[in-house]
Amino acid sequence: MKKIVFITGANKGIGFGIAKYLGKSGWQVIIGARDGQRAEEATNVLKLEGVDVLGWVNIELRDLASIEQAAKEINTKYPELTMLVNNAGIPGDMSVDSQNTNLSDIKETLDVNFIGTFMLTKALMPLLTKNEGRIVNVTVPSEISPYWHPLAYVASKAAQNAMMGVMAIELQQSNTPLEIFSVHPGPTTTDLNGNMSLPGFHDIETVGQKMAELINDGQSHQGEFIELYPIVEE
């Protein structure tokens, strides 16, 4: 069976790193992006690295019509899809504490990171089930870290974690041949956090390679929340 993965937000950051190292390990890659120029640039770079990029799909997770169209395109063009990596997301306003967080920011972040991710997952589940595939979410712990806890972002990812847990139990109970699990990359220097680089942070190359190794380890991770690089207390 072919190994074909659709990665949202694969034009940059952690998504690009995952695409690169899954591609180097034999996966065919479909890039999910909302900007055509960035998607084409990422495609060109990945191909130079030897990655078999099948194409890119336009998707805007805050737009339900865009999600529906993307799912239709994937079903039509890539009927052998075997994995979805839910990587794309927005940070919300990370500069304010909870008392000063605007409701509009909460709603916008939930719309992308939870509702958009849920709707895409739901739309592709029938195809992935037919191909006995996998769904992998890139997320953060629901437990609150004393070091970093922007409300909108953490709340949206906690909802995403709950989605994964509920779906995993239901898939197990119904003996559905589909696996879903979540991965916390750990502190990583990306655009999402303003390219923050502090002790304990990792780069995109390191995280992408480690993520690919996990996905390719031949083990079932149904319902698991896996931390690649746990946050260590000082």
Side-chain angles (χ1 to χ4, degrees):
M1 180 180 287
K2 292 183 179 180
K3 297 192 296 183
I4 301 175
V5 59
F6 176 53
I7 307 170
T8 61
N11 59 294
K12 63 177 183 176
I14 291 174
F16 180 85
I18 295 170
K20 177 178 175 178
Y21 284 97
L22 282 178
K24 282 178 171 291
S25 67
W27 285 80
Q28 294 177 297
V29 174
I30 307 161
I31 292 174
R34 57 184 179 178
D35 184 289
Q37 182 176 344
R38 289 179 178 176
E40 293 291 349
E41 290 172 354
T43 296
N44 292 335
V45 174
L46 288 169
K47 285 184 175 180
L48 288 173
E49 293 280 353
V51 176
D52 184 2
V53 182
L54 298 179
W56 77 278
V57 173
N58 184 276
I59 184 165
E60 171 56 78
L61 286 175
R62 76 188 76 211
D63 183 344
L64 297 182
S66 173
I67 294 169
E68 182 179 0
Q69 179 57 41
K72 286 181 179 178
E73 182 176 346
I74 290 167
N75 272 274
T76 301
K77 290 184 177 180
Y78 312 109
E80 295 178 280
L81 182 77
T82 42
M83 186 162 64
L84 164 66
V85 176
N86 286 315
N87 165 76
I90 61 173
D93 187 349
M94 295 188 172
S95 68
V96 296
D97 61 17
S98 58
Q99 294 184 68
N100 292 299
T101 299
N102 292 323
L103 180 59
S104 60
D105 188 46
I106 295 280
K107 288 182 175 180
E108 181 181 25
T109 309
L110 283 169
D111 277 345
V112 174
N113 296 357
F114 172 56
I115 294 174
T117 296
F118 166 70
M119 292 303 291
L120 176 62
T121 301
K122 181 180 178 181
L124 292 179
M125 283 180 81
L127 178 60
L128 290 165
T129 299
K130 184 182 73 171
N131 295 330
E132 299 186 7
R134 305 172 99 183
I135 299 163
V136 183
N137 299 325
V138 180
T139 183
V140 300
S142 298
E143 295 79 12
I144 307 304
S145 165
Y147 306 106
W148 185 81
H149 42 257
L151 179 60
Y153 186 76
V154 173
S156 70
K157 289 298 187 174
Q160 193 182 106
N161 293 341
M163 175 194 82
M164 183 279 295
V166 170
M167 286 183 172
I169 288 174
E170 292 173 344
L171 291 169
Q172 286 178 307
Q173 291 175 337
S174 61
N175 293 315
T176 301
L178 178 63
E179 181 180 320
I180 183 169
F181 62 97
S182 294
V183 181
H184 174 217
T188 309
T189 301
T190 68
D191 288 352
L192 185 139
N193 55 31
N195 292 304
M196 184 184 298
S197 182
L198 297 171
F201 273 61
H202 295 88
D203 59 27
I204 291 164
E205 294 286 317
T206 302
V207 168
Q209 185 171 12
K210 187 99 169 180
M211 190 83 162
E213 290 172 357
L214 171 65
I215 288 169
N216 291 324
D217 69 3
Q219 303 298 312
S220 173
H221 296 291
Q222 182 75 282
E224 292 183 9
F225 179 92
I226 300 165
E227 293 194 84
L228 295 185
Y229 294 104
I231 297 174
V232 178
E233 295 186 17
E234 296 294 333

